[in-house]
Amino acid sequence: MRYSALSILRNGFARQLGWTSAWRFPKPKAHYDVIIVGGGGHGLATAHYLAKEHGITNVAVLEKGYIGSGNVGRNTTIIRSNYLLPGNNPFYELSLKLWEGLEQDLNFNAMVSQRGVINLFHTDAQRDAYIRRGNAMRLHGVDAELLDRAKVQSMMPFMDFDNARFPIKGGLMQRRGGTVRHDAVAWGYARAADKRGVDIIQDCEVTGIRRENGRVVGVDTSQGFIGCNKLGLAAAGNSSRVAEMADLKLPIESHVLQAFVSEGLKPFLDTVVVYGAGHFYISQSDKGGLVFGGDIDGYNSYAQRGNLAIVEHVAEAGIAMIPALSRVRYLRSWGGVMDMSMDGSPIIDRTPIDNLYLNAGWCYGGFKATPASGFCFAHLLARGEPHPTTTAMRLDRFERGYAIDERGYGPQPNLH
Ligand SMILES: Cc1cc2nc3c(=O)[nH]c(=O)nc-3n(C[C@H](O)[C@H](O)[C@H](O)COP(=O)(O)OP(=O)(O)OC[C@H]3O[C@@H](n4cnc5c(N)ncnc54)[C@H](O)[C@@H]3O)c2cc1C
């Protein structure tokens, strides 16, 4: 069924009885050309682009929970392509371009909202760093704009510009950045992939990876053995656990990241703002709630829940930036498990095992990457060679000394 104004009208007159399920609930077949482990944004997008761009439709996405139960439905919904390094920038810009056409491509309202993203700076040195980043973006054909203090103040007068320690001196803005309704992305990709014949199999946990003569022949799952020609891993926070089933040790640590939502308020924040003197980012949802978050919890964990230290840190940073936040009640918080790579950048690559492919290391920035990640992983799975925008995102870059260290923190996964 195609979604359109006409279909809403038609179903309105037919007592809403004409709607069909957005995707099927098939039983697994004995064998697939490609199996993707993980029905998050990246796994589902990969399946969609495998079918759409490469005509490979004998594909299964295996999800241990339900679609949208992982990080794709837990993030703070920010999209942007304001990256400095050449190993990252073209990839994230490809992603932003795909976001811009996503709803038409999927025939699904994902509420893509290009409301802009502003990164605040608080010192002269930070301004220099942001000018450098903005120039690098422009050299890659990406929009970037430096805002002075007066401009930022005219846009968001409620912020504390004269904070004694962290005065706001301006910001780097990417107007094409913004937010996208996260779970709609999972649903939209699932529906579109299913329509092209992909089997989305929920409640199907992969428990083992079977190999014969060095090649992967399939996976053991909670619904039995399923064979495949190629296996793609897109398990985000559980990447290292799944890779271990094929005796692969990944350069990844898993950490929790928390997000928070406040009570509904009248609209006052019409962009995304990122604090530059601590880790804090905030936007206002269409329902009026403030959606915000900060740093990861510093210890390793596979638990989807966080701890109080980060709650305090996030509240402190938020109030330093917008003092009136101290009077806002927060409603909910939750956690997701982040696959933190050693340099803060992702891996989209083949593995040393012939027909086993890896999509991982998204840290806490993988939502914005969803379309390009799926597009490029599908390219790799279909053609056996990396997409031109992911040639640097190799698994062996740490051994070879070619890290993509966007934030310049060195091999400290808990800091990226
Ligand atoms: C609180 C929070 C805020 C964030 N904010 C942002 C943001 O604003 N912008 C941004 O760009 N990114 C953000 N991120 C990061 C982003 O959400 C992730 O990097 C991205 O969603 C990861 O890719 P995914 O969608 O495929 O992951 P997931 O949705 O987690 O998909 C992986 C799936 O694999 C499944 N799986 C795991 N093991 C198995 C198994 N053995 N068998 C079968 N299935 C398995 C899991 O159940 C899961 O559904 C945030 C994350 C969190 C938690």
Side-chain angles (χ1 to χ4, degrees), residues 20-21 27 37 53 58 71 79 90 130 156 187 192 194 212 220 222 255 288 294 296-297 305 346 411:
T20 52
S21 173
K27 288 266 165 257
V37 182
E53 301 293 326
N58 186 23
N71 295 334
I79 61 165
Y130 282 10
M156 290 172 291
W187 302 332
D194 172 273
E212 278 172 17
D220 292 302
S222 51
H255 291 255
I296 53 173
D297 286 52
R305 60 172 186 273

Side-chain angles (χ1 to χ4, degrees), residues 305-316:
R305 60 172 186 273
N307 230 327
L308 286 173
I310 288 292
V311 179
E312 185 182 4
H313 164 84
V314 167
E316 275 174 0

Side-chain angles (χ1 to χ4, degrees), residues 38 40-42 63-64 71-72 75-76 78 206 364-368:
H42 293 225
E63 167 53 47
K64 71 174 174 180
N71 295 334
V72 67
N75 60 71
T76 38
I78 301 167
V206 171
Y364 44 73
F367 177 64
K368 70 178 85 64

Side-chain angles (χ1 to χ4, degrees), residues 118 121 145-149 151-152 155 169-171 173:
I118 300 177
F121 53 80
E145 208 177 309
L146 197 73
L147 309 179
D148 61 14
R149 175 189 153 119
K151 180 70 186 163
V152 178
M155 296 167 78
K169 294 192 164 211
M173 179 164 198

Side-chain angles (χ1 to χ4, degrees), residues 3-15:
Y3 293 160
S4 65
L6 198 64
S7 68
I8 294 174
L9 197 68
R10 201 179 296 128
N11 277 289
F13 284 116
R15 293 189 294 138

Side-chain angles (χ1 to χ4, degrees), residues 2-138:
R2 219 188 129 64
Y3 293 160
S4 65
L6 198 64
S7 68
I8 294 174
L9 197 68
R10 201 179 296 128
N11 277 289
F13 284 116
R15 293 189 294 138
Q16 309 294 350
L17 294 174
W19 300 109
T20 52
S21 173
W23 57 83
R24 298 164 296 128
F25 295 86
K27 288 266 165 257
K29 291 192 264 186
H31 190 274
Y32 290 92
D33 291 338
V34 180
I35 287 181
I36 313 281
V37 182
H42 293 225
L44 293 165
T46 304
H48 168 68
Y49 293 117
L50 270 174
K52 183 182 169 225
E53 301 293 326
H54 305 281
I56 301 174
T57 56
N58 186 23
V59 175
V61 178
L62 309 183
E63 167 53 47
K64 71 174 174 180
Y66 59 89
I67 296 306
S69 57
N71 295 334
V72 67
R74 291 168 181 268
N75 60 71
T76 38
T77 76
I78 301 167
I79 61 165
R80 56 185 174 85
S81 63
N82 55 359
Y83 281 77
L84 171 75
L85 298 181
N88 276 328
N89 190 299
F91 171 80
Y92 286 99
E93 178 57 13
L94 168 68
S95 209
L96 196 52
K97 291 210 169 86
L98 289 167
W99 283 120
E100 286 168 339
L102 186 85
E103 292 166 321
Q104 287 70 27
D105 181 16
L106 302 184
N107 177 227
F108 202 88
N109 180 9
M111 295 167 70
V112 177
S113 165
Q114 291 184 289
R115 60 184 68 183
V117 173
I118 300 177
N119 283 73
L120 299 176
F121 53 80
H122 308 265
T123 63
D124 293 342
Q126 208 173 20
R127 182 198 287 116
D128 289 349
Y130 282 10
I131 290 173
R132 182 168 171 240
R133 197 200 311 185
N135 284 337
M137 289 162 65
R138 285 183 169 210

Side-chain angles (χ1 to χ4, degrees), residues 280-353:
F280 180 79
Y281 34 91
I282 186 165
S283 65
Q284 188 168 21
S285 80
D286 294 351
K287 281 197 294 187
L290 299 174
V291 181
F292 52 98
D295 254 327
I296 53 173
D297 286 52
Y299 49 88
N300 299 150
S301 175
Y302 289 111
Q304 286 181 323
R305 60 172 186 273
N307 230 327
L308 286 173
I310 288 292
V311 179
E312 185 182 4
H313 164 84
V314 167
E316 275 174 0
I319 290 166
M321 187 172 98
I322 307 177
L325 284 187
S326 64
R327 302 183 59 188
V328 173
R329 277 166 293 214
Y330 96 81
L331 286 190
R332 295 181 285 128
S333 63
W334 60 87
V337 186
M338 309 288 82
D339 39 337
M340 304 297 296
S341 65
M342 296 294 141
D343 58 0
S345 295
I347 298 158
I348 301 183
D349 201 4
R350 320 166 68 112
T351 70
I353 300 165

